[in-house]
Amino acid sequence: MRRRRCQVFAVAAFFLIVACVAAAQVTSPDFSVVVLPDTQYYSESHPEIFTAQTQWIVNNRSNYNIQFVLHEGDIVNIAEQPAQWQNADAAMRLLDAAQIPYVAPPGNHDYDGEMPSGRGTTAFNAYFGPSRYAQYGWYKGGFPSGTNDNSYAVFTVNGQQYLVLSLEFIPRDSALAWARTVLDANADKEIIVVTHSYMWVDSTRADECNNNDLAPTNGNQGEDIWQKLLNNYPNVSLVLSGHFTAATASRRAELGLHQNLVNQIFANYQQLTNGGNGWLRIMTFRPSLNRIDVVTYSPFLNQYMTDGENQFSIAWHNAGLAGTTGAITGLVRGDRMAPAQYMCVPIAGVTLAAGGATAQTDSNGLFSLTLPNGNYSLSASAPGWRAPAESDQQGAYAGFPSNAKVFLKPMLGSVAGKVTDPSGNPVGGAALAFSGGAIPTALNVTTDAGGNYAASSMSVGTYQVTASASGQTTATTTATIADGATTTLNIQFGSANPPPPPPPPPPAPPCAAGTAHSGITICFPGSNQLTLPSSGGSGSIAISVYNSTSAAVAVSLACTADSASTGCSLNPASLNLQANGSSTATVNFTVPALAGRLHPPFPLSSPLVFAGLLAGFAGIAVKRRARAPMLFALALAIMLVSCGGGSSPNITTPPAPPSSSPTVNPAAPSPKTYNFTVTATSGANSDTKAFQVTVQ
């Protein structure tokens, strides 16, 4: 019994301590900010819960030294129902009456027709537009003009000014451009950002594959907001968001490019009973301790959540690094706008490069790079995939690993053709199976009544093709798909199918640099092994030069040969390449002929030669006599035999004496291979590639 009483006492003491900590008096310089996650169901069905939240804030303003309130968006559930806006308006007006400053960005449910793609905010701005805040000195303006879709406010605590930046749902590029002007003009203020959708439930930033509410072309997900905006400002310290329902809470701490600590926190309870049961966040900032204490409390239930995801303390600003090396980790997937078979799929075997280090993604598309503390440009490449036009900027710092989200676009082409029987008649209903591609792909198509078929959005590369139909002998062949092109492949059953005509040569794919510098790369669009006949001569080979840097560069070209008897030149000898651009050049070369077959000279001391010459001279001397023609002919015959031009059974030729001249070699001369190298240079970046020419 005594033991049971002790247990009961211990439990009671624990909850008393929790309650005392949560309700402790907050005094200056400490202060609090209250966060209201999605209230859409309160406005729709439980306005009393919404009112309980804001009334509690008013009642506890002094106890917690509450300086600001941040609504995370989705104020209402159905924007076309005025009653929901009226319920929200009544709850928030309690803060107006108490002169407690607040912001409330639009969530996806706050747009006209719950269609954020249209960007209509008529009802939202009727209730929470600029006119609602115009009387307050802390309100500084909105964007676009005449709206509060994006807005900012400033409040001051202990002489320190804090700027609250409120961004629209998945903000457009124009909204981020406006936000830059605000942040650029307020470098002296600490920045707190609130937007409806930013953090994902797994403690990474939301991306185009997490959130299907808007196409990537219509706005910027959390990862984009970080890369394009927040990562670049040293005074950003806190980002808050809601929206997602797969979990109730997540958070991450990461350093920006200026080594400023940015806490990014997600909270949303709308999937719980009564649309959230009134849970809100109390964030208490303690400057002297460099700490933010976070508790989750429901005025409606008068209860606290005490698990580690909902009650925790975090460092406020960067107090220093615990080591000298950090990491860039992340995930590589197919672009969301790609065809279904490639969309958002993890990509294995992608090469990631940063700061001279490389890593490859595993079967789940994950990677990790360990690097000295610093900021890096992260690039990605993989066969069959097109890398982003711009490299991500990532920080690798001890204790604060970056988490990169990389998306690649598949390089795609098409194939079309006709299937016929041995007599050339079309075969309808024939089944064609394609297997292969740079991105492993399996695809099945069926011919129509006219024997025609077509398949689009296929990965580039070579495919094995099998065609089958009832009553026909199965046919097999290959097809090569080129980026942005359509390959024609006709198949005839019962006959030897010649290989398909070669497709137009695809653009040379980016290839691995031959040096540590990946900014300049040489590729051979065709083979780098050439053959010339034994006569040698001149030839040429095309090269492509790629600039993968983010700035235009001038590139100088040079070529060298491994033999003094060969030569090469380039046309042009220099290139001006745009950022992430490419161009071509031609290498002209010459090689000598192979050594040919040589006949040995017949020695002049041969008796036959000597006799032939005497007979010739004698014939000339007596040419006026009748015997002259006969003697001249005899001399000529002897000379021809002596020189190897013929033979006579009555004349024998003695063997020739040894000679240093070449002897007759009936075998063909051996092939000769010459090596050439081509170098492209731009500043510190260079690449060298080789090709061979064989003469045979």
Side-chain angles (χ1 to χ4, degrees):
M1 186 70 177
R2 181 179 179 184
R3 183 178 179 182
R4 182 177 299 173
R5 287 176 180 171
C6 290
Q7 290 175 336
V8 171
F9 177 78
V11 172
F14 170 78
F15 282 108
L16 179 61
I17 291 172
V18 170
C20 289
V21 170
Q25 184 80 20
V26 176
T27 58
S28 182
D30 299 348
F31 65 95
S32 297
V33 169
V34 176
V35 182
L36 295 175
D38 306 40
T39 60
Q40 61 199 77
Y41 293 137
Y42 306 152
S43 298
E44 182 181 48
S45 304
H46 302 283
E48 70 282 3
I49 297 179
F50 202 163
T51 300
Q53 289 181 314
T54 54
Q55 187 62 62
W56 182 90
I57 295 171
V58 172
N59 295 345
N60 289 274
R61 180 180 191 178
S62 298
N63 290 340
Y64 286 89
N65 193 16
I66 297 173
Q67 295 292 321
F68 212 91
V69 176
L70 303 169
H71 197 296
E72 291 183 342
D74 269 4
I75 302 169
V76 301
N77 193 43
I78 301 175
E80 291 71 47
Q81 293 189 5
Q84 295 189 27
W85 289 108
Q86 292 164 7
N87 289 336
D89 174 59
M92 296 299 284
R93 284 205 180 276
L94 294 176
L95 303 181
D96 291 323
Q99 297 187 6
I100 299 176
Y102 62 90
V103 294
N108 53 305
H109 283 264
D110 299 325
Y111 286 88
D112 298 345
E114 297 73 62
M115 294 291 292
S117 58
R119 296 293 181 178
T121 52
T122 304
F124 167 80
N125 279 294
Y127 286 90
F128 290 90
S131 60
R132 185 183 189 104
Y133 304 94
Q135 59 183 312
Y136 302 125
W138 46 263
Y139 174 74
K140 300 302 180 182
F143 175 84
S145 179
T147 78
N148 233 21
D149 297 3
N150 304 271
S151 65
Y152 75 107
V154 175
F155 67 96
T156 304
V157 182
N158 304 320
Q160 172 65 52
Q161 289 187 308
Y162 298 86
L163 187 150
V164 178
L165 180 66
S166 172
L167 294 175
E168 64 188 14
F169 177 66
I170 308 182
R172 294 161 285 185
D173 285 342
S174 59
L176 295 187
W178 168 83
R180 287 188 201 97
T181 65
V182 172
L183 299 186
D184 289 343
N186 290 276
D188 59 327
K189 301 174 180 63
E190 186 158 342
I191 309 300
I192 299 172
V193 180
V194 60
T195 187
H196 185 55
S197 174
Y198 178 86
M199 279 293 291
W200 178 232
V201 299
D202 66 351
S203 297
T204 68
R205 286 176 289 273
D207 59 57
E208 60 192 58
C209 292
N210 302 142
N211 197 342
N212 295 322
D213 292 285
L214 281 177
T217 55
N218 198 12
N220 293 279
Q221 302 285 347
E223 184 66 22
D224 303 314
I225 299 172
W226 174 256
Q227 282 292 328
K228 295 181 179 181
L229 182 70
L230 305 182
N231 194 23
N232 302 287
Y233 287 89
N235 50 339
V236 173
S237 64
L238 182 63
V239 186
L240 302 168
S241 63
H243 181 55
F244 297 106
T245 59
T248 58
S250 74
R251 66 182 186 272
R252 73 176 292 104
E254 191 168 344
L255 299 188
L257 296 180
H258 297 272
Q259 298 189 37
N260 51 304
L261 177 57
V262 184
N263 285 292
Q264 301 153 78
I265 301 175
F266 156 77
N268 182 21
Y269 305 98
Q270 71 181 80
Q271 294 299 95
L272 303 182
T273 305
N274 299 320
N277 263 345
W279 297 106
L280 53 75
R281 285 275 176 90
I282 307 164
M283 304 185 70
T284 300
F285 296 73
R286 304 189 186 278
S288 62
L289 300 177
N290 188 34
R291 193 178 77 201
I292 303 174
D293 295 332
V294 180
V295 297
T296 304
Y297 173 72
S298 169
F300 177 70
L301 300 176
N302 190 26
Q303 294 178 6
Y304 292 91
M305 285 188 179
T306 56
D307 62 275
E309 289 294 317
N310 289 287
Q311 183 169 306
F312 53 89
S313 295
I314 52 178
W316 185 359
H317 301 113
N318 182 12
L321 301 176
T324 59
T325 59
I328 300 175
T329 63
L331 173 63
V332 182
R333 285 170 290 173
D335 184 84
R336 182 183 155 197
M337 302 305 290
Q341 66 268 37
Y342 310 116
M343 180 177 66
C344 294
V345 297
I347 308 175
V350 179
T351 298
L352 284 301
T358 60
Q360 283 200 321
T361 55
D362 62 17
S363 59
N364 297 312
L366 300 172
F367 71 92
S368 180
L369 282 164
T370 300
L371 295 158
N373 290 338
N375 299 323
Y376 298 91
S377 177
L378 179 68
S379 63
S381 61
W385 296 93
R386 185 176 292 107
E390 296 182 3
S391 299
D392 280 351
Q393 298 302 306
Q394 301 285 345
Y397 293 102
F400 299 97
S402 293
N403 188 265
K405 302 283 189 78
V406 181
F407 293 92
L408 305 182
K409 296 180 183 295
M411 301 169 68
L412 304 175
S414 303
V415 62
K418 191 169 188 174
V419 178
T420 58
D421 64 16
S423 299
N425 301 310
V427 178
L432 281 75
F434 292 80
S435 178
I439 308 170
T441 301
L443 181 69
N444 297 311
V445 295
T446 303
T447 59
D448 61 18
N452 300 301
Y453 75 93
S456 60
S457 300
M458 297 174 64
S459 170
V460 298
T462 301
Y463 288 79
Q464 297 296 318
V465 186
T466 301
S468 59
S470 177
Q472 304 292 340
T473 301
T474 299
T476 60
T477 185
T478 60
T480 301
I481 307 299
D483 189 28
T486 298
T487 297
T488 300
L489 177 64
N490 298 318
I491 298 176
Q492 186 172 22
F493 287 115
S495 63
N497 286 295
C511 57
T515 71
H517 303 287
S518 60
I520 302 298
T521 305
I522 299 172
C523 285
F524 293 101
S527 172
N528 65 344
Q529 306 283 331
L530 289 86
T531 302
L532 291 183
S534 60
S535 58
S538 301
S540 64
I541 185 170
I543 62 169
S544 295
V545 184
Y546 290 82
N547 169 28
S548 60
T549 67
S550 58
V553 296
V555 179
S556 60
L557 303 174
C559 64
T560 57
D562 69 346
S563 172
S565 62
T566 62
C568 61
S569 63
L570 279 146
N571 183 26
S574 63
L575 299 169
N576 291 311
L577 302 184
Q578 298 301 310
N580 297 295
S582 65
S583 188
T584 59
T586 300
V587 186
N588 301 303
F589 60 85
T590 57
V591 295
L594 291 177
R597 299 181 180 180
L598 299 176
H599 291 283
F602 204 91
L604 291 174
S605 59
S606 168
L608 285 177
V609 174
F610 185 70
L613 290 174
L614 287 178
F617 285 124
I620 295 172
V622 295
K623 63 181 178 178
R624 296 182 183 273
R625 299 186 178 183
R627 288 190 299 270
M630 180 178 66
L631 291 172
F632 188 84
L634 176 61
L636 180 61
I638 293 172
M639 291 177 67
L640 288 174
V641 171
S642 301
C643 293
S647 61
S648 171
N650 298 318
I651 300 176
T652 59
T653 304
S659 171
S660 60
S661 301
T663 59
V664 175
N665 180 11
S670 299
K672 174 70 174 178
T673 297
Y674 299 93
N675 297 301
F676 296 85
T677 56
V678 185
T679 302
T681 305
S682 176
N685 292 331
S686 67
D687 189 23
T688 298
K689 290 292 191 302
F691 68 94
Q692 293 182 328
V693 179
T694 299
V695 182
Q696 64 182 24

